[in-house]
Amino acid sequence: MATHDNPPIMVSKIGIIGAGVSGITVAKYLSNYNPIVFEATDSIGGVWRHCSYRCTKLQSQTWNYEFSDFPWPERESSDYPSHAEILEYLHLYAVHFNLFKYVKFNTKVVEIMFVGDKDGFDFGRLPGDHGNPLPGRPVWELSVQSNESDVIQRYHFEFVVVCTGKYGDIPLMPTYPRNKGPEVFNGKVLHTIDYCKLDKEATSDLVKGKKTVVVGYKKSAIDLAIECAQANQGPEGQPCTMIIRSLHWTLPHYRMWGVPFFMFYATRSAQFLHPTPNQGLLKSLLCLLLSPMRRGISKFIESYLLWKLPLEKYGLKPDHPFQEDFASCQIAITPENFFNEADKGKIVFKRASKWWFWNGGIEFDDNTKMDADVVLLATGYDGKKKLKTLLPEPFSSLLEYPSGIMALYR
């Protein structure tokens, strides 16, 4: 049981939680203040280190995913970098700017407390003028626990930057009818967060020659299906079945009919086409006037995707427009050999809105059953719970809209 034996200490004005991409970037730009970065694991990299598979790659081109003051080193391949290459790039960045000296590894922040002056602070809204971010007195108290000890050390800071992200740590698990959950299944059930902890040999042994089911159809699920198919090549290999509840548009690459994708969505002028949160009256009117162009661009991209990918052949054409998936960040890059494996029968698709377990596999709401040995849940992470568990009230409530949406930019 954790104990609070030590009085609070203040060794820096600024505390940073997390040493992923955001955490080390913040540490670099605030290095003049000698910040402390608390990292719960033994390495930097965040989700690239702890939530990636063997085949996970960057979905953006390197020029669109690099630090402005530290370009990517020369690479032999022009392909999207693997997660291992990204980790190496982040390591070089941290070494170049001498950032490791700020990081306390294997230290997990278990609680954040507001210890500043509550008088005059309106907790019901986000103030337009935040005043001096370094008031000269403690405002936040972090309770930090080392992986090697049960003792909790408290730290005081004037300013805290939360760089934990929304993904990882807390899996988003499906719900099942009574007595129809994983406990009745005779095979193995893993969420992607547990699959990521396995090495190459263990993942191959898990799915090779096994009837594997992958639940989901986003980037994690697609990568998992590819790994399962690669492990089951040959006549003895078993197909991998993807259970798909909601369809999303996928891209083979970032060039549509010869036009670079960024021309549609990643230029300054393109921003006038798409509505943004809390936009003014003039922007709203402009978006309304340009809505035919916005729909035309979406149709243009959809026509290319339906020509390039066998979406209709496999019943994977979404009913909603492409722009809807783009606006909600639901776009995934399809690996080059994904549909090749489907053509060979190594990846099979099953549409289902509801499903549950039986002792031999998966049962669907149409009363059909599917045999399975392994079920992999690529159902995502509960980012809302992760952030709200860490942040104290009333600050955690400020992150969430009344509709329940938690916007990253807040």
Side-chain angles (χ1 to χ4, degrees):
M1 184 174 179
T3 58
H4 297 73
D5 292 336
N6 301 317
I9 60 176
M10 185 169 182
V11 293
S12 175
K13 291 178 177 292
I14 297 176
I16 301 170
I17 307 175
V21 177
S22 298
I24 62 173
T25 305
V26 171
K28 185 258 183 181
Y29 281 98
L30 297 179
S31 58
N32 289 339
Y33 296 97
N34 293 311
I36 295 180
V37 182
F38 298 104
E39 169 55 45
T41 69
D42 60 357
S43 60
I44 66 171
V47 293
W48 288 113
R49 172 71 68 181
H50 307 290
C51 298
S52 297
Y53 319 137
R54 180 163 34 93
C55 68
T56 300
K57 292 186 175 183
L58 182 66
Q59 291 206 105
S60 302
Q61 294 168 312
T62 53
W63 62 266
N64 202 31
Y65 194 88
E66 69 177 2
F67 300 106
S68 59
D69 51 1
F70 191 77
W72 276 84
E74 292 293 329
R75 300 173 60 243
E76 296 181 0
S77 172
S78 59
D79 194 8
Y80 301 109
S82 67
H83 77 281
E85 290 179 288
I86 296 169
L87 288 172
E88 176 63 19
Y89 174 60
L90 297 177
H91 179 83
L92 292 174
Y93 177 83
V95 170
H96 180 77
F97 291 106
N98 196 21
L99 302 179
F100 282 106
K101 66 181 181 181
Y102 305 120
V103 184
K104 294 176 70 70
F105 290 108
N106 297 309
T107 53
K108 182 178 181 180
V109 176
V110 295
E111 184 180 23
I112 303 176
M113 291 183 60
F114 180 75
V115 295
D117 185 9
K118 296 182 175 63
D119 295 335
F121 189 93
D122 186 355
F123 290 99
R125 64 181 179 86
L126 292 174
D129 181 10
H130 296 275
N132 184 0
L134 298 174
R137 60 184 182 278
V139 177
W140 301 97
E141 180 178 289
L142 303 187
S143 296
V144 180
Q145 184 174 6
S146 169
N147 293 352
E148 302 174 353
S149 172
D150 289 337
V151 176
I152 291 180
Q153 176 64 61
R154 290 174 291 157
Y155 292 82
H156 280 175
F157 295 100
E158 297 180 31
F159 193 80
V160 170
V161 187
V162 179
C163 299
T164 58
K166 291 181 64 176
Y167 304 106
D169 296 331
I170 301 180
L172 185 62
M173 303 297 290
T175 56
Y176 310 98
R178 183 179 176 84
N179 297 324
K180 294 184 178 182
E183 69 278 359
V184 303
F185 178 49
N186 293 331
K188 293 183 178 181
V189 181
L190 274 79
H191 189 273
T192 52
I193 194 172
D194 299 311
Y195 182 90
C196 292
K197 299 174 183 177
L198 304 178
D199 59 25
K200 180 179 179 180
E201 183 178 356
T203 56
S204 180
D205 291 342
L206 177 68
V207 300
K208 187 175 182 179
K210 310 288 179 54
K211 297 175 183 177
T212 304
V213 172
V214 173
V215 180
Y217 188 61
K218 293 184 183 179
K219 177 61 175 172
S220 296
I222 292 173
D223 285 346
L224 266 181
I226 282 291
E227 290 205 0
C228 292
Q230 291 173 344
N232 282 280
Q233 297 298 309
E236 302 298 324
Q238 294 287 337
C240 169
T241 302
M242 298 187 73
I243 296 180
I244 304 171
R245 184 182 65 178
S246 302
L247 291 173
H248 299 285
W249 292 96
T250 59
L251 298 175
H253 46 68
Y254 283 112
R255 188 172 290 269
M256 312 294 148
W257 298 119
V259 182
F261 182 79
F262 76 88
M263 295 290 292
F264 303 115
Y265 293 107
T267 63
R268 292 188 181 276
S269 58
Q271 302 309 306
F272 292 104
L273 288 171
H274 310 287
T276 54
N278 302 323
Q279 64 186 13
L281 177 61
L282 290 178
K283 176 69 184 298
S284 299
L285 290 174
L286 185 60
C287 286
L288 180 62
L289 292 173
L290 295 177
S291 58
M293 182 182 295
R294 186 167 63 247
R295 289 193 294 269
I297 291 174
S298 184
K299 290 293 185 182
F300 178 83
I301 295 175
E302 291 167 28
S303 68
Y304 177 81
L305 297 179
L306 293 175
W307 170 77
K308 185 69 175 179
L309 302 175
L311 301 180
E312 293 178 308
K313 173 183 176 180
Y314 290 109
L316 300 177
K317 177 183 178 297
D319 294 327
H320 55 269
F322 175 85
Q323 65 182 23
E324 184 175 314
D325 273 347
F326 174 80
S328 57
C329 300
Q330 304 285 353
I331 302 297
I333 295 291
T334 306
E336 185 176 356
N337 58 339
F338 179 71
F339 285 108
N340 291 337
E341 296 296 341
D343 291 339
K344 293 189 297 184
K346 296 300 181 181
I347 298 178
V348 180
F349 307 102
K350 168 69 176 179
R351 293 290 310 279
S353 58
K354 294 181 180 180
W355 60 274
W356 47 85
F357 288 95
W358 64 290
N359 58 8
I362 301 294
E363 184 176 357
F364 302 97
D365 53 0
D366 60 0
N367 296 322
T368 61
K369 292 184 177 182
M370 176 185 297
D371 294 333
D373 301 309
V374 179
V375 177
L376 302 176
L377 303 175
T379 50
Y381 299 93
D382 196 340
K384 184 187 299 185
K385 182 178 180 180
K386 177 181 179 179
L387 291 176
K388 296 192 74 172
T389 300
L390 183 63
L391 292 174
E393 288 290 354
F395 301 98
S396 60
S397 298
L398 296 176
L399 294 174
E400 190 174 4
Y401 284 117
S403 62
I405 295 176
M406 182 178 287
L408 279 176
Y409 71 91
R410 298 202 79 180

Short mmCIF file of all heavy atoms in Angstrom, two decimals, residues 240-288:
data_model
loop_
_atom_site.label_atom_id
_atom_site.label_comp_id
_atom_site.label_asym_id
_atom_site.label_seq_id
_atom_site.Cartn_x
_atom_site.Cartn_y
_atom_site.Cartn_z
N CYS A 240 -7.63 -14.87 -40.88
CA CYS A 240 -7.96 -13.93 -39.81
C CYS A 240 -9.27 -13.24 -40.16
O CYS A 240 -9.41 -12.70 -41.26
CB CYS A 240 -6.83 -12.91 -39.64
SG CYS A 240 -7.25 -11.52 -38.57
N THR A 241 -10.22 -13.26 -39.25
CA THR A 241 -11.52 -12.63 -39.49
C THR A 241 -11.59 -11.30 -38.75
O THR A 241 -11.35 -11.24 -37.54
CB THR A 241 -12.67 -13.53 -39.03
OG1 THR A 241 -12.60 -14.78 -39.72
CG2 THR A 241 -14.01 -12.88 -39.31
N MET A 242 -11.93 -10.24 -39.49
CA MET A 242 -12.12 -8.93 -38.88
C MET A 242 -13.62 -8.69 -38.66
O MET A 242 -14.41 -8.73 -39.62
CB MET A 242 -11.55 -7.83 -39.78
CG MET A 242 -10.07 -7.93 -40.04
SD MET A 242 -9.43 -6.49 -40.95
CE MET A 242 -9.50 -5.22 -39.65
N ILE A 243 -14.01 -8.48 -37.41
CA ILE A 243 -15.39 -8.15 -37.09
C ILE A 243 -15.52 -6.63 -37.13
O ILE A 243 -14.86 -5.91 -36.37
CB ILE A 243 -15.80 -8.68 -35.71
CG1 ILE A 243 -15.75 -10.21 -35.71
CG2 ILE A 243 -17.20 -8.20 -35.35
CD1 ILE A 243 -16.13 -10.84 -34.39
N ILE A 244 -16.38 -6.14 -38.03
CA ILE A 244 -16.47 -4.71 -38.29
C ILE A 244 -17.87 -4.22 -37.93
O ILE A 244 -18.86 -4.69 -38.49
CB ILE A 244 -16.18 -4.41 -39.77
CG1 ILE A 244 -14.81 -4.97 -40.16
CG2 ILE A 244 -16.26 -2.92 -40.05
CD1 ILE A 244 -14.52 -4.91 -41.63
N ARG A 245 -17.93 -3.29 -37.00
CA ARG A 245 -19.21 -2.67 -36.65
C ARG A 245 -19.45 -1.42 -37.47
O ARG A 245 -20.52 -1.24 -38.06
CB ARG A 245 -19.24 -2.32 -35.16
CG ARG A 245 -20.58 -1.76 -34.70
CD ARG A 245 -20.56 -1.39 -33.23
NE ARG A 245 -19.62 -0.30 -32.97
CZ ARG A 245 -19.44 0.25 -31.77
NH1 ARG A 245 -20.11 -0.21 -30.73
NH2 ARG A 245 -18.58 1.22 -31.62
N SER A 246 -18.46 -0.53 -37.53
CA SER A 246 -18.59 0.73 -38.26
C SER A 246 -17.52 0.80 -39.33
O SER A 246 -16.34 0.58 -39.04
CB SER A 246 -18.46 1.92 -37.30
OG SER A 246 -19.44 1.87 -36.28
N LEU A 247 -17.93 1.14 -40.54
CA LEU A 247 -16.98 1.27 -41.64
C LEU A 247 -16.37 2.66 -41.67
O LEU A 247 -17.02 3.65 -41.29
CB LEU A 247 -17.67 0.99 -42.97
CG LEU A 247 -18.09 -0.45 -43.23
CD1 LEU A 247 -18.92 -0.54 -44.51
CD2 LEU A 247 -16.88 -1.37 -43.31
N HIS A 248 -15.12 2.73 -42.11
CA HIS A 248 -14.44 4.00 -42.28
C HIS A 248 -13.66 3.98 -43.59
O HIS A 248 -13.23 2.92 -44.05
CB HIS A 248 -13.47 4.26 -41.12
CG HIS A 248 -14.13 4.35 -39.79
ND1 HIS A 248 -14.86 5.45 -39.37
CD2 HIS A 248 -14.21 3.45 -38.77
CE1 HIS A 248 -15.34 5.24 -38.17
NE2 HIS A 248 -14.96 4.03 -37.77
N TRP A 249 -13.51 5.14 -44.18
CA TRP A 249 -12.72 5.25 -45.40
C TRP A 249 -11.25 5.02 -45.06
O TRP A 249 -10.74 5.48 -44.03
CB TRP A 249 -12.89 6.62 -46.03
CG TRP A 249 -14.26 6.87 -46.60
CD1 TRP A 249 -15.30 7.50 -45.99
CD2 TRP A 249 -14.73 6.45 -47.88
NE1 TRP A 249 -16.40 7.52 -46.82
CE2 TRP A 249 -16.08 6.88 -47.99
CE3 TRP A 249 -14.16 5.77 -48.96
CZ2 TRP A 249 -16.84 6.65 -49.13
CZ3 TRP A 249 -14.93 5.55 -50.09
CH2 TRP A 249 -16.25 5.97 -50.17
N THR A 250 -10.56 4.29 -45.93
CA THR A 250 -9.13 4.07 -45.79
C THR A 250 -8.42 4.58 -47.04
O THR A 250 -9.02 4.62 -48.13
CB THR A 250 -8.80 2.58 -45.58
OG1 THR A 250 -9.29 1.83 -46.70
CG2 THR A 250 -9.43 2.06 -44.30
N LEU A 251 -7.16 4.94 -46.87
CA LEU A 251 -6.37 5.48 -47.98
C LEU A 251 -5.24 4.53 -48.32
O LEU A 251 -4.60 3.99 -47.42
CB LEU A 251 -5.77 6.84 -47.60
CG LEU A 251 -6.72 7.99 -47.28
CD1 LEU A 251 -5.92 9.21 -46.82
CD2 LEU A 251 -7.58 8.35 -48.47
N PRO A 252 -4.95 4.33 -49.62
CA PRO A 252 -3.77 3.54 -49.98
C PRO A 252 -2.50 4.36 -49.89
O PRO A 252 -1.41 3.83 -49.68
CB PRO A 252 -4.07 3.11 -51.42
CG PRO A 252 -4.94 4.20 -51.96
CD PRO A 252 -5.76 4.69 -50.80
N HIS A 253 -2.62 5.66 -50.07
CA HIS A 253 -1.49 6.60 -50.01
C HIS A 253 -2.05 8.01 -50.04
O HIS A 253 -3.28 8.19 -50.00
CB HIS A 253 -0.49 6.36 -51.17
CG HIS A 253 -1.16 6.22 -52.50
ND1 HIS A 253 -1.81 7.26 -53.14
CD2 HIS A 253 -1.30 5.14 -53.31
CE1 HIS A 253 -2.32 6.84 -54.28
NE2 HIS A 253 -2.03 5.56 -54.41
N TYR A 254 -1.19 9.00 -50.14
CA TYR A 254 -1.63 10.40 -50.06
C TYR A 254 -1.58 11.10 -51.42
O TYR A 254 -1.13 12.23 -51.54
CB TYR A 254 -0.76 11.17 -49.07
CG TYR A 254 -1.12 10.88 -47.62
CD1 TYR A 254 -0.24 10.19 -46.79
CD2 TYR A 254 -2.33 11.29 -47.09
CE1 TYR A 254 -0.56 9.94 -45.47
CE2 TYR A 254 -2.67 11.04 -45.78
CZ TYR A 254 -1.78 10.37 -44.97
OH TYR A 254 -2.11 10.10 -43.67
N ARG A 255 -2.08 10.43 -52.46
CA ARG A 255 -2.15 11.07 -53.78
C ARG A 255 -3.41 10.56 -54.49
O ARG A 255 -3.54 9.36 -54.74
CB ARG A 255 -0.90 10.77 -54.60
CG ARG A 255 -0.79 11.54 -55.90
CD ARG A 255 0.57 11.34 -56.54
NE ARG A 255 1.62 12.01 -55.78
CZ ARG A 255 2.01 13.26 -56.02
NH1 ARG A 255 1.42 13.98 -56.96
NH2 ARG A 255 2.98 13.78 -55.31
N MET A 256 -4.34 11.47 -54.79
CA MET A 256 -5.61 11.10 -55.38
C MET A 256 -5.67 11.58 -56.83
O MET A 256 -5.63 12.80 -57.08
CB MET A 256 -6.78 11.72 -54.59
CG MET A 256 -6.68 11.51 -53.09
SD MET A 256 -6.83 9.78 -52.65
CE MET A 256 -5.80 9.71 -51.20
N TRP A 257 -5.77 10.64 -57.77
CA TRP A 257 -5.77 10.99 -59.20
C TRP A 257 -4.59 11.91 -59.54
O TRP A 257 -4.69 12.83 -60.33
CB TRP A 257 -7.07 11.65 -59.61
CG TRP A 257 -8.31 10.82 -59.45
CD1 TRP A 257 -9.38 11.10 -58.66
CD2 TRP A 257 -8.62 9.59 -60.11
NE1 TRP A 257 -10.33 10.12 -58.76
CE2 TRP A 257 -9.90 9.17 -59.66
CE3 TRP A 257 -7.95 8.77 -61.03
CZ2 TRP A 257 -10.51 8.00 -60.10
CZ3 TRP A 257 -8.56 7.60 -61.47
CH2 TRP A 257 -9.82 7.23 -61.00
N GLY A 258 -3.46 11.65 -58.87
CA GLY A 258 -2.26 12.43 -59.14
C GLY A 258 -2.13 13.72 -58.35
O GLY A 258 -1.11 14.40 -58.41
N VAL A 259 -3.16 14.07 -57.57
CA VAL A 259 -3.14 15.31 -56.79
C VAL A 259 -2.77 14.99 -55.34
O VAL A 259 -3.40 14.13 -54.73
CB VAL A 259 -4.51 16.02 -56.83
CG1 VAL A 259 -4.45 17.33 -56.04
CG2 VAL A 259 -4.94 16.27 -58.26
N PRO A 260 -1.73 15.62 -54.77
CA PRO A 260 -1.35 15.35 -53.38
C PRO A 260 -2.50 15.61 -52.42
O PRO A 260 -3.21 16.62 -52.53
CB PRO A 260 -0.19 16.32 -53.13
CG PRO A 260 0.34 16.62 -54.49
CD PRO A 260 -0.83 16.59 -55.42
N PHE A 261 -2.67 14.73 -51.46
CA PHE A 261 -3.79 14.82 -50.52
C PHE A 261 -3.76 16.12 -49.72
O PHE A 261 -4.81 16.70 -49.41
CB PHE A 261 -3.75 13.62 -49.57
CG PHE A 261 -4.86 13.56 -48.58
CD1 PHE A 261 -6.11 13.12 -48.94
CD2 PHE A 261 -4.68 13.96 -47.26
CE1 PHE A 261 -7.15 13.06 -48.03
CE2 PHE A 261 -5.70 13.91 -46.34
CZ PHE A 261 -6.94 13.46 -46.73
N PHE A 262 -2.56 16.60 -49.37
CA PHE A 262 -2.47 17.79 -48.53
C PHE A 262 -3.05 19.02 -49.22
O PHE A 262 -3.43 20.00 -48.55
CB PHE A 262 -1.02 18.05 -48.11
CG PHE A 262 -0.14 18.63 -49.18
CD1 PHE A 262 -0.05 20.02 -49.34
CD2 PHE A 262 0.61 17.82 -50.01
CE1 PHE A 262 0.75 20.56 -50.32
CE2 PHE A 262 1.42 18.35 -50.98
CZ PHE A 262 1.49 19.73 -51.15
N MET A 263 -3.16 19.00 -50.54
CA MET A 263 -3.74 20.13 -51.26
C MET A 263 -5.20 20.34 -50.89
O MET A 263 -5.71 21.45 -50.95
CB MET A 263 -3.61 19.91 -52.77
CG MET A 263 -2.18 19.87 -53.28
SD MET A 263 -1.38 21.50 -53.21
CE MET A 263 -2.31 22.38 -54.45
N PHE A 264 -5.87 19.26 -50.48
CA PHE A 264 -7.29 19.34 -50.14
C PHE A 264 -7.52 19.76 -48.69
O PHE A 264 -8.51 20.42 -48.38
CB PHE A 264 -7.98 18.00 -50.38
CG PHE A 264 -7.85 17.48 -51.78
CD1 PHE A 264 -7.15 16.32 -52.03
CD2 PHE A 264 -8.42 18.16 -52.84
CE1 PHE A 264 -7.03 15.82 -53.31
CE2 PHE A 264 -8.30 17.68 -54.13
CZ PHE A 264 -7.60 16.51 -54.38
N TYR A 265 -6.64 19.35 -47.80
CA TYR A 265 -6.94 19.51 -46.38
C TYR A 265 -5.83 20.11 -45.54
O TYR A 265 -6.05 20.42 -44.37
CB TYR A 265 -7.30 18.14 -45.79
CG TYR A 265 -8.59 17.57 -46.32
CD1 TYR A 265 -8.58 16.50 -47.21
CD2 TYR A 265 -9.82 18.09 -45.94
CE1 TYR A 265 -9.76 15.97 -47.71
CE2 TYR A 265 -11.01 17.57 -46.43
CZ TYR A 265 -10.97 16.51 -47.32
OH TYR A 265 -12.13 15.99 -47.80
N ALA A 266 -4.62 20.26 -46.07
CA ALA A 266 -3.50 20.66 -45.23
C ALA A 266 -2.83 21.95 -45.68
O ALA A 266 -1.67 22.19 -45.38
CB ALA A 266 -2.46 19.53 -45.18
N THR A 267 -3.56 22.80 -46.39
CA THR A 267 -3.04 24.12 -46.76
C THR A 267 -3.82 25.18 -46.01
O THR A 267 -4.93 24.93 -45.52
CB THR A 267 -3.16 24.37 -48.27
OG1 THR A 267 -4.55 24.37 -48.64
CG2 THR A 267 -2.43 23.27 -49.06
N ARG A 268 -3.26 26.36 -45.93
CA ARG A 268 -3.96 27.45 -45.21
C ARG A 268 -5.28 27.80 -45.89
O ARG A 268 -6.29 28.06 -45.23
CB ARG A 268 -3.05 28.67 -45.13
CG ARG A 268 -1.84 28.48 -44.23
CD ARG A 268 -1.09 29.77 -44.02
NE ARG A 268 0.09 29.58 -43.18
CZ ARG A 268 0.08 29.56 -41.85
NH1 ARG A 268 -1.07 29.74 -41.23
NH2 ARG A 268 1.19 29.39 -41.18
N SER A 269 -5.29 27.81 -47.21
CA SER A 269 -6.53 28.15 -47.91
C SER A 269 -7.59 27.07 -47.71
O SER A 269 -8.79 27.37 -47.66
CB SER A 269 -6.25 28.34 -49.40
OG SER A 269 -5.68 27.17 -49.96
N ALA A 270 -7.15 25.80 -47.58
CA ALA A 270 -8.11 24.72 -47.39
C ALA A 270 -8.85 24.83 -46.06
O ALA A 270 -9.96 24.31 -45.92
CB ALA A 270 -7.40 23.36 -47.48
N GLN A 271 -8.25 25.52 -45.10
CA GLN A 271 -8.89 25.64 -43.79
C GLN A 271 -10.18 26.44 -43.85
O GLN A 271 -11.05 26.32 -42.98
CB GLN A 271 -7.93 26.28 -42.79
CG GLN A 271 -6.62 25.52 -42.61
CD GLN A 271 -6.82 24.06 -42.33
OE1 GLN A 271 -7.54 23.69 -41.40
NE2 GLN A 271 -6.23 23.21 -43.15
N PHE A 272 -10.32 27.27 -44.89
CA PHE A 272 -11.56 28.04 -45.03
C PHE A 272 -12.72 27.17 -45.51
O PHE A 272 -13.87 27.56 -45.44
CB PHE A 272 -11.35 29.20 -45.99
CG PHE A 272 -10.41 30.26 -45.46
CD1 PHE A 272 -9.12 30.35 -45.93
CD2 PHE A 272 -10.83 31.14 -44.48
CE1 PHE A 272 -8.25 31.31 -45.44
CE2 PHE A 272 -9.97 32.11 -43.98
CZ PHE A 272 -8.68 32.20 -44.47
N LEU A 273 -12.39 25.98 -46.02
CA LEU A 273 -13.44 25.09 -46.51
C LEU A 273 -14.15 24.35 -45.40
O LEU A 273 -15.31 23.96 -45.55
CB LEU A 273 -12.83 24.05 -47.47
CG LEU A 273 -12.38 24.52 -48.85
CD1 LEU A 273 -11.61 23.40 -49.54
CD2 LEU A 273 -13.57 24.94 -49.68
N HIS A 274 -13.47 24.16 -44.29
CA HIS A 274 -13.98 23.25 -43.26
C HIS A 274 -14.32 23.99 -41.98
O HIS A 274 -13.56 24.83 -41.51
CB HIS A 274 -12.93 22.17 -42.98
CG HIS A 274 -12.41 21.51 -44.23
ND1 HIS A 274 -13.15 20.63 -44.97
CD2 HIS A 274 -11.22 21.65 -44.89
CE1 HIS A 274 -12.46 20.24 -46.01
NE2 HIS A 274 -11.28 20.85 -45.99
N PRO A 275 -15.47 23.69 -41.40
CA PRO A 275 -15.86 24.35 -40.15
C PRO A 275 -14.94 23.96 -39.01
O PRO A 275 -14.39 22.85 -38.97
CB PRO A 275 -17.29 23.83 -39.91
CG PRO A 275 -17.39 22.56 -40.70
CD PRO A 275 -16.49 22.72 -41.88
N THR A 276 -14.76 24.89 -38.08
CA THR A 276 -13.92 24.66 -36.91
C THR A 276 -14.71 25.02 -35.65
O THR A 276 -15.68 25.79 -35.72
CB THR A 276 -12.65 25.52 -36.97
OG1 THR A 276 -13.02 26.89 -37.16
CG2 THR A 276 -11.76 25.09 -38.13
N PRO A 277 -14.34 24.48 -34.49
CA PRO A 277 -15.06 24.80 -33.25
C PRO A 277 -15.01 26.29 -32.94
O PRO A 277 -14.00 26.96 -33.17
CB PRO A 277 -14.30 23.98 -32.20
CG PRO A 277 -13.63 22.89 -32.96
CD PRO A 277 -13.28 23.48 -34.30
N ASN A 278 -16.11 26.81 -32.43
CA ASN A 278 -16.21 28.20 -31.98
C ASN A 278 -15.87 29.22 -33.08
O ASN A 278 -15.34 30.29 -32.80
CB ASN A 278 -15.30 28.43 -30.77
CG ASN A 278 -15.63 27.51 -29.62
OD1 ASN A 278 -16.80 27.22 -29.36
ND2 ASN A 278 -14.61 27.03 -28.92
N GLN A 279 -16.15 28.87 -34.32
CA GLN A 279 -15.86 29.81 -35.41
C GLN A 279 -16.86 30.96 -35.39
O GLN A 279 -17.99 30.84 -34.92
CB GLN A 279 -15.90 29.10 -36.75
CG GLN A 279 -17.26 28.54 -37.14
CD GLN A 279 -17.21 27.72 -38.42
OE1 GLN A 279 -16.14 27.38 -38.90
NE2 GLN A 279 -18.37 27.42 -38.99
N GLY A 280 -16.42 32.11 -35.93
CA GLY A 280 -17.25 33.31 -35.94
C GLY A 280 -18.29 33.28 -37.04
O GLY A 280 -18.37 32.35 -37.85
N LEU A 281 -19.06 34.35 -37.10
CA LEU A 281 -20.15 34.44 -38.06
C LEU A 281 -19.62 34.45 -39.49
O LEU A 281 -20.15 33.76 -40.37
CB LEU A 281 -20.98 35.70 -37.79
CG LEU A 281 -22.13 35.97 -38.78
CD1 LEU A 281 -23.13 34.82 -38.76
CD2 LEU A 281 -22.81 37.30 -38.43
N LEU A 282 -18.57 35.24 -39.75
CA LEU A 282 -18.03 35.33 -41.10
C LEU A 282 -17.49 33.99 -41.57
O LEU A 282 -17.70 33.59 -42.72
CB LEU A 282 -16.94 36.40 -41.16
CG LEU A 282 -17.41 37.85 -41.02
CD1 LEU A 282 -16.22 38.80 -41.05
CD2 LEU A 282 -18.39 38.21 -42.14
N LYS A 283 -16.79 33.28 -40.68
CA LYS A 283 -16.27 31.96 -41.06
C LYS A 283 -17.41 30.99 -41.32
O LYS A 283 -17.34 30.16 -42.24
CB LYS A 283 -15.36 31.45 -39.94
CG LYS A 283 -14.81 30.05 -40.16
CD LYS A 283 -13.80 29.99 -41.28
CE LYS A 283 -13.33 28.55 -41.55
NZ LYS A 283 -12.68 27.94 -40.41
N SER A 284 -18.47 31.09 -40.54
CA SER A 284 -19.62 30.20 -40.74
C SER A 284 -20.28 30.45 -42.09
O SER A 284 -20.65 29.51 -42.81
CB SER A 284 -20.64 30.39 -39.62
OG SER A 284 -20.08 30.07 -38.36
N LEU A 285 -20.42 31.72 -42.45
CA LEU A 285 -21.00 32.06 -43.74
C LEU A 285 -20.11 31.59 -44.89
O LEU A 285 -20.61 31.08 -45.91
CB LEU A 285 -21.23 33.57 -43.83
CG LEU A 285 -22.34 34.15 -42.94
CD1 LEU A 285 -22.36 35.67 -43.03
CD2 LEU A 285 -23.70 33.57 -43.34
N LEU A 286 -18.81 31.75 -44.72
CA LEU A 286 -17.88 31.32 -45.76
C LEU A 286 -17.94 29.81 -45.95
O LEU A 286 -17.94 29.31 -47.08
CB LEU A 286 -16.47 31.77 -45.41
CG LEU A 286 -15.38 31.49 -46.46
CD1 LEU A 286 -15.72 32.21 -47.76
CD2 LEU A 286 -14.01 31.93 -45.94
N CYS A 287 -17.99 29.08 -44.85
CA CYS A 287 -18.09 27.62 -44.94
C CYS A 287 -19.39 27.19 -45.62
O CYS A 287 -19.41 26.22 -46.38
CB CYS A 287 -18.01 27.00 -43.54
SG CYS A 287 -16.35 27.01 -42.84
N LEU A 288 -20.46 27.94 -45.37
CA LEU A 288 -21.74 27.63 -46.01
C LEU A 288 -21.66 27.86 -47.51
O LEU A 288 -22.12 27.03 -48.31
CB LEU A 288 -22.84 28.49 -45.39
CG LEU A 288 -24.25 28.30 -45.97
CD1 LEU A 288 -24.72 26.86 -45.73
CD2 LEU A 288 -25.22 29.29 -45.34
#
